[in-house]
Amino acid sequence: MTPALHHRHATQTAAAPTRRALLRAGTLVLLLGTQHIARGATIVAVRVWPAPEYSRVTLESDQPLRVRKHFVSDPPRLAVDIEGIDLSPELRELVAKVRPDDPNIAGIRVGQNTPNVVRLVVDLKQAAQPQVFSLDPVAAYGHRLVFDLYPEKAIDPLEALIAERLRDMGADTPPPKASSPTGHALALPSATELPDPLGELIARTETERKPQAPAIASAPAAPPPITPRPTPHTDRLIIIALDPGHGGEDPGAVGPSGTREKDVVLKVAHMLRERINATTVGGNPMRAYLTRDGDYFVPLATRVQKARRVQADLFVSIHADAFTNPDARGASVFALSQGAASSSAARWLANKENQADLVGGLNVRAKDREVQRALLDMSTTAQIKDSLQLGGALLGEIGNVGKLHKPRVEQAGFAVLKAPDIPSVLVETAFISNPQEEAKLRTSAYQEQLADALMRGIVRYFAKNPPLARSRTV
């Protein structure tokens, strides 16, 4: 072997172990990298959203979390093992975030179950149907692991409305259970039938409250004098569904000073509810029903379902607008459009509002998507016509207390306005992104003015469009 060949052979022999070592080292780096990814998730925030309908627990992290869940029915509790993380101060915060008045969660326990596995146990106050799911990053949120804790006995909006109505009338007898032929709490009436479950429930409740007739005595006593029985009072209960936008994980628009849309519109809705409940139209009492009566997330399709379940006469969704230009100002009213939007701004706003389910955190399953699609594709020409009339009445009154962004009712494909049998409008009370209008929206005085204007608009609408004839014994 020549010296040159010998040198080349020696060099290759020396290089071979080096390459093998590098390959082994590379494999080790990859393995360590995989473990680092599995163990590297960091919890950045924890949140608890209590509500009578369901309570939600959210863990937000910078990477997806791997979990194993187990539900124990007696006593009811949800155990979730989160893999690849260690107990952190953020997770410990969950224990103190549970409020004593939470309708569903009794408490939360958290601890290091095994190395790299944190166990979280949610103790429940009643039998539940928990849902555990993950959400991809959207808007300002990172990865979210969500526990939705629904009571096993779902709250029926109709039954809740009846209970509230009877309380106000001084009744102390709980209303009977509202049910449907299908057994679903939110079953909807068919288009061909006009059942009146509200009237039926009230009538059944009144019947149950009547004292039983005494047993017949063996010797008949002298008949008492006959007195005329008062005619039962029958009137038309007018129901207005109020829909405060956003809620829970979805703050809606946020003003330059940090004012959150979801908070402002809920306050306006509460004020408007007080006015509606104290008003009669043509001698008929009115009743407000809120699709969201607290700080929690309600999917768009569920808002429509609730309004239809209580057979609302009107649906008013309350929002506060926002735009990239802080100079934009003024209130707007929108109705549904079956075709193209009435303006590019209306189309842009509808697209933004329709993203609420993504930010709020909708657990979308295949069958849910089908139900939502069916619910939100039943709009009718008559409903849109009535909605435009309602919007015009509201817009005229809002213009008396503040500036209007557009002098006419706009139209676009808002998902929350697609109840086929309820005149529905969406009111943007002001631009919360405008510093001056944000400051007004923060004041109780302006919120009261908005509630007064909306109330006057509703009364104006019914003056020209009396509600459909439907008697209810109340």
Side-chain angles (χ1 to χ4, degrees):
M1 181 179 295
T2 64
L5 290 174
H6 177 75
H7 175 74
R8 185 183 303 167
H9 176 73
T11 302
Q12 290 175 343
T13 303
T18 304
R19 287 196 296 269
R20 284 195 295 271
L22 287 173
L23 287 172
R24 285 197 299 270
T27 303
L28 180 61
V29 168
L30 289 174
L31 289 173
L32 288 174
T34 302
Q35 288 181 344
H36 178 72
I37 290 172
R39 297 186 58 188
T42 301
I43 303 295
V44 298
V46 295
R47 295 178 289 273
V48 179
W49 305 101
E53 295 174 33
Y54 75 104
S55 294
R56 167 173 287 192
V57 178
T58 302
L59 308 183
E60 185 179 354
S61 59
D62 60 351
Q63 297 181 34
L65 297 175
R66 297 200 311 269
V67 300
R68 293 175 304 186
K69 61 182 184 294
H70 180 62
F71 181 68
V72 180
S73 58
D74 188 20
R77 61 192 184 276
L78 173 67
V80 179
D81 286 341
I82 308 173
E83 301 176 357
I85 66 171
D86 294 321
L87 190 58
S88 65
E90 289 78 13
L91 284 171
R92 293 182 189 272
E93 288 179 10
L94 270 176
V95 177
K97 285 185 177 287
V98 178
R99 289 170 23 184
D101 60 348
D102 190 309
N104 303 294
I105 301 176
I108 295 179
R109 294 172 282 150
V110 60
Q112 194 77 46
N113 187 43
T114 61
N116 308 327
V117 177
V118 170
R119 171 162 291 182
L120 189 150
V121 179
V122 184
D123 295 307
L124 301 169
K125 293 181 177 179
Q126 57 182 314
Q129 295 181 336
Q131 298 179 11
V132 179
F133 57 97
S134 298
L135 297 169
D136 293 330
V138 63
Y141 292 125
H143 296 273
R144 286 177 288 173
L145 177 65
V146 179
F147 314 146
D148 281 351
L149 306 161
Y150 289 88
E152 190 174 75
K153 181 183 177 183
I155 293 178
D156 187 338
L158 183 62
E159 186 174 346
L161 182 65
I162 291 296
E164 180 183 319
R165 173 68 173 163
L166 293 177
R167 278 198 305 270
D168 289 353
M169 296 170 60
D172 54 5
T173 302
K177 169 68 178 171
S179 59
S180 65
T182 59
H184 296 293
L186 292 177
L188 303 178
S190 67
T192 56
E193 299 176 354
L194 287 175
D196 185 10
L198 183 58
E200 292 170 5
L201 269 181
I202 294 176
R204 284 164 53 192
T205 303
E206 290 297 319
T207 300
E208 292 180 2
R209 292 171 57 201
K210 291 179 181 178
Q212 297 294 324
I216 300 175
S218 56
I226 299 176
T227 56
R229 188 177 239 178
T231 304
H233 178 60
T234 301
D235 58 12
R236 171 72 164 90
L237 186 62
I238 301 172
I239 300 173
I240 313 298
L242 302 179
D243 177 51
H246 309 281
E249 293 281 294
D250 177 17
V254 180
S257 296
T259 309
R260 301 181 301 185
E261 177 184 2
K262 67 174 183 178
D263 299 329
V264 171
V265 299
L266 183 60
K267 291 178 181 177
V268 174
H270 283 157
M271 294 175 181
L272 182 54
R273 174 173 64 183
E274 293 175 0
R275 287 154 174 77
I276 289 173
N277 290 352
T279 302
T280 60
V281 173
N284 299 315
M286 301 182 75
R287 196 79 194 154
Y289 172 78
L290 267 64
T291 62
R292 173 175 76 87
D293 199 9
D295 188 10
Y296 56 97
F297 167 68
V298 181
L300 298 175
T302 303
R303 296 169 187 259
V304 178
Q305 284 179 316
K306 287 182 172 184
R308 299 193 72 207
R309 174 60 175 157
V310 300
Q311 286 196 319
D313 295 281
L314 299 179
F315 180 92
V316 180
S317 191
I318 306 173
H319 292 254
D321 212 343
F323 194 61
T324 53
N325 184 348
D327 294 331
R329 64 174 61 221
S332 306
V333 178
F334 296 86
L336 184 67
S337 171
Q338 285 182 312
S342 58
S343 69
S344 57
R347 181 174 62 252
W348 175 85
L349 180 63
N351 291 336
K352 181 171 72 74
E353 296 293 358
N354 291 346
Q355 296 297 310
D357 280 352
L358 294 177
V359 180
L362 176 66
N363 183 16
V364 180
R365 296 168 294 187
K367 64 177 182 179
D368 293 332
R369 283 195 294 267
E370 294 172 5
V371 171
Q372 291 163 17
R373 191 177 301 114
L375 264 176
L376 300 182
D377 282 337
M378 297 188 296
S379 56
T380 64
T381 303
Q383 183 259 16
I384 292 176
K385 179 182 176 182
D386 291 339
S387 300
L388 288 171
Q389 293 176 348
L390 171 62
L394 296 177
L395 195 67
E397 294 297 337
I398 295 172
N400 293 329
V401 300
K403 179 180 174 60
L404 295 179
H405 186 65
K406 290 287 182 68
R408 65 182 183 279
V409 180
E410 296 244 52
Q411 291 180 262
F414 291 89
V416 79
L417 301 183
K418 293 189 176 181
D421 44 6
I422 307 172
S424 305
V425 295
L426 185 146
V427 178
E428 295 283 0
T429 54
F431 274 87
I432 201 170
S433 53
N434 180 291
Q436 290 76 32
E437 294 203 337
E438 179 195 19
K440 291 173 64 177
L441 285 172
R442 292 169 67 97
T443 66
S444 297
Y446 191 64
Q447 293 167 7
E448 297 271 3
Q449 291 179 29
L450 286 171
D452 286 337
L454 293 172
M455 186 71 252
R456 290 193 300 269
I458 291 171
V459 172
R460 273 184 56 188
Y461 171 79
F462 280 126
K464 294 184 178 180
N465 304 273
L468 297 176
R470 184 168 57 209
S471 295
R472 287 172 174 148
T473 304
V474 296

